[in-house]
Amino acid sequence: MSGDGPGRGPSSERRKPPHTPAAGRPRSEIDVLLDQPGCPTCGFVEQYEQSFFSWFEIENHATAEMRAALRSAMGMCPEHWRRLIDEVEEASVLAPVSSYGVAGALDHIAGAGVPGACPACSARAFATSRASRMLIETLDDRSCSGRYASHAGLCLTHFRDAAGAAGPATLTLLSERMSATLDDPHTGGSGQSLIGLDTDSRRRCTWRQALPSALAAPTTLSTLEQQLLVSACPVCLAIGQSERRYLEWIVEAIGDRDRSLNDDPGELCAAHIHDLALSDPGSALWAMDRRRASSRGVVRRLLDILAAQPTVGSANRGQVWGRKRSSGPSDLEAARTAVLDLRPCRACSTGTIAERRALELLGIALELPELTAAYERGHGLCARHAVQLSPGASHDLAARHAGTRLRLIAWELDEARRKSAWSCRHEPAGPELTAWLRAPSQIDGRVFLGGPAEPVER
């Protein structure tokens, strides 16, 4: 990517011969990505994220602007924490990032308000918007229309992004290509043509497999006491175990041809379909077919309305709506809205329910002295969940406990930094060396899918 640091193409498959753009039009980054298989926006965004993390490791992590952003965001979101931990090996980078995240989490517990956006997520949002804009501008050139129509086109996620901004002519082209993808029963393989690229799926799989088994005891309180012995946020653990249990169940239900699946109004989101693809490819194809079926009618409806739209002027700029025939702009906007609406993901829903129920249970149980003692000996809630308990004694206990553990980790991070000095080379290393790994778990336990922050084989 021009000026954005090193990057890699979206696929290792054989590239198509270079395309010569129309005379007088410079070759854009989208032109290059349309020479390769896979969703062009996925490819652009992944290149941009690679550039972001490369420059982050080299120098950007130390800038005042980035330090402030990391503190505001309590570090990074779970997905980008995992990428940072997986791809960056230098403690000189990981430890400071954890320090900024811990400082932000302490601000959050003290009532600083809603955390800011993850800086890597902000970079991704910018890249997605830029890719959509460039694609729309490229497709406004009629010489490119046939080329896009013969390409695999956008995945469903990025089709929705572009659908909200494209004018009628370009939206028609995008919708026709998406309709062809949805009608093709052989769309699959990696699934990128339908559900896009997901570079985090293998990391999620690794940490999900490392989750401890769900515990069961004679009573609700004794079960909770056992859960508090796990060195992880009990609410994040409940979310991770619930999502894993659902994914295991749906694989079994699909294999058994369970008829109850036909009556389920939900479907799986792209991320959970990617998760299934790693554990059971056949179930992932079933989930993709279900998503294809639910999207097909919505896209066809959009195409029908677009076909009835009279327009004057450019496809994307200065549009003037002519006399209404069988449908008008309000119908088009309603059809756009239908495309942008997502059906609920059943795996996400089960995690959300588990989160709510676990918070409710802890809010009640932490008022019991025997549970309070067990809680104070353990990991306790992460900073994200400690502030979500209803006001009262349980909330105060969780906030105080999380704040104390965060200050302890901050001390360890500072101790590790001190011992790295040449003058302290005679001092033996201690447990403070792993504080950078434990910090994300204490800030937001979803980083490790709810499990303990322990090194795992990758």
Side-chain angles (χ1 to χ4, degrees):
M1 296 188 304
S2 57
D4 284 331
R8 184 176 70 232
S11 174
S12 60
E13 297 180 37
R14 186 185 302 274
R15 296 186 178 184
K16 298 177 182 178
H19 169 79
T20 303
R25 185 173 67 82
R27 186 171 171 80
S28 71
E29 291 156 294
I30 293 296
D31 281 314
V32 175
L33 289 167
L34 286 175
D35 285 338
Q36 304 169 30
C39 169
T41 298
C42 282
F44 182 88
V45 171
E46 173 55 17
Q47 287 184 10
Y48 199 92
E49 284 201 11
Q50 286 177 358
S51 176
F52 172 89
F53 277 97
S54 292
W55 285 106
F56 183 90
E57 182 177 5
I58 293 169
E59 61 182 10
N60 287 350
H61 70 276
T63 66
E65 182 181 8
M66 183 59 73
R67 292 199 303 267
L70 289 167
R71 179 165 184 160
S72 173
M74 302 196 300
M76 291 190 175
C77 69
E79 176 184 344
H80 287 122
W81 266 119
R82 289 190 290 269
R83 182 164 188 163
L84 187 70
I85 291 168
D86 190 42
E87 296 185 356
V88 176
E89 297 180 355
E90 293 295 326
S92 60
V93 175
L94 295 167
V97 172
S98 293
S99 294
Y100 309 141
V102 167
L106 285 168
D107 293 341
H108 184 52
I109 289 175
V114 178
C118 162
C121 286
S122 296
R124 174 188 287 175
F126 171 81
T128 301
S129 176
R130 181 180 173 188
S132 292
R133 185 172 63 253
M134 287 194 303
L135 180 64
I136 289 170
E137 291 172 353
T138 298
L139 296 182
D140 198 26
D141 182 339
R142 291 182 179 275
S143 66
C144 296
S145 300
R147 185 166 172 236
Y148 182 81
S150 63
H151 187 270
L154 295 171
C155 66
L156 262 174
T157 299
H158 291 126
F159 167 72
R160 289 187 172 100
D161 291 332
T170 298
L171 182 55
T172 298
L173 175 61
L174 294 172
S175 300
E176 287 173 345
R177 176 59 264 177
M178 177 51 63
S179 182
T181 297
L182 293 170
D183 286 340
D184 182 2
H186 302 295
T187 297
S190 67
Q192 192 179 342
S193 297
L194 190 63
I195 57 173
L197 184 66
D198 188 339
T199 58
D200 187 50
S201 59
R202 292 193 179 278
R203 299 184 190 104
R204 292 196 303 271
C205 180
T206 296
W207 288 104
R208 185 176 286 117
Q209 289 176 345
L211 281 175
S213 301
L215 303 171
T219 68
T220 297
L221 288 180
S222 58
T223 299
L224 182 55
E225 283 185 291
Q226 291 188 33
Q227 291 171 338
L228 292 176
L229 296 175
V230 179
S231 186
C233 169
V235 173
C236 291
L237 178 61
I239 296 170
Q241 289 176 332
S242 178
E243 289 190 358
R244 183 176 66 179
R245 185 164 52 247
Y246 181 85
L247 292 174
E248 291 172 346
W249 171 82
I250 199 167
V251 168
E252 183 178 345
I254 292 170
D256 292 342
R257 301 179 184 274
D258 190 330
R259 293 184 179 180
S260 68
L261 293 175
N262 297 328
D263 301 322
D264 195 330
E267 56 190 37
L268 294 184
C269 65
H272 282 117
I273 295 176
H274 277 286
D275 292 342
L276 276 185
L278 291 175
S279 62
D280 190 83
S283 295
L285 289 174
W286 178 92
M288 280 193 284
D289 284 342
R290 189 179 181 93
R291 191 154 206 207
R292 179 185 289 109
S294 69
S295 301
R296 187 181 292 122
V298 175
V299 174
R300 285 179 177 170
R301 170 65 177 159
L302 177 59
L303 279 170
D304 288 343
I305 292 176
L306 284 165
Q309 293 294 325
T311 60
V312 177
S314 170
N316 291 299
R317 301 181 184 85
Q319 296 157 17
V320 180
W321 297 101
R323 180 173 296 177
K324 182 176 178 180
R325 294 174 186 166
S326 58
S327 61
S330 60
D331 298 308
L332 178 57
E333 293 313 308
R336 281 189 205 259
T337 300
V339 166
L340 298 176
D341 284 344
L342 290 172
R343 299 179 73 183
C345 169
R346 298 300 296 162
C348 290
S349 295
T350 192
T352 300
I353 293 169
E355 178 181 39
R356 174 172 54 82
R357 298 295 289 167
L359 280 168
E360 290 174 356
L361 175 60
L362 276 169
I364 297 168
L366 287 183
E367 297 195 22
L368 297 172
E370 60 269 33
L371 257 296
T372 299
Y375 183 89
E376 290 183 324
R377 289 193 300 269
H379 180 284
L381 291 171
C382 62
R384 175 176 173 271
H385 282 122
V387 299
Q388 292 185 29
L389 290 175
S390 299
S394 297
H395 175 279
D396 295 344
L397 167 63
R400 183 178 69 252
H401 184 269
T404 301
R405 287 184 64 90
L406 285 165
R407 287 192 295 273
L408 175 61
I409 289 176
W411 181 92
E412 289 183 283
L413 289 165
D414 189 56
E415 181 72 354
R417 181 195 58 77
R418 184 188 70 81
K419 287 186 177 181
S420 68
W422 178 254
S423 60
C424 298
R425 63 189 184 280
H426 63 285
E427 297 190 40
E432 71 277 353
L433 288 184
T434 62
W436 65 266
L437 181 63
R438 288 179 278 112
S441 176
Q442 196 68 57
I443 295 169
D444 189 339
R446 297 174 303 165
V447 173
F448 305 114
L449 278 294
E454 299 173 351
V456 296
E457 289 188 15
R458 291 176 174 79

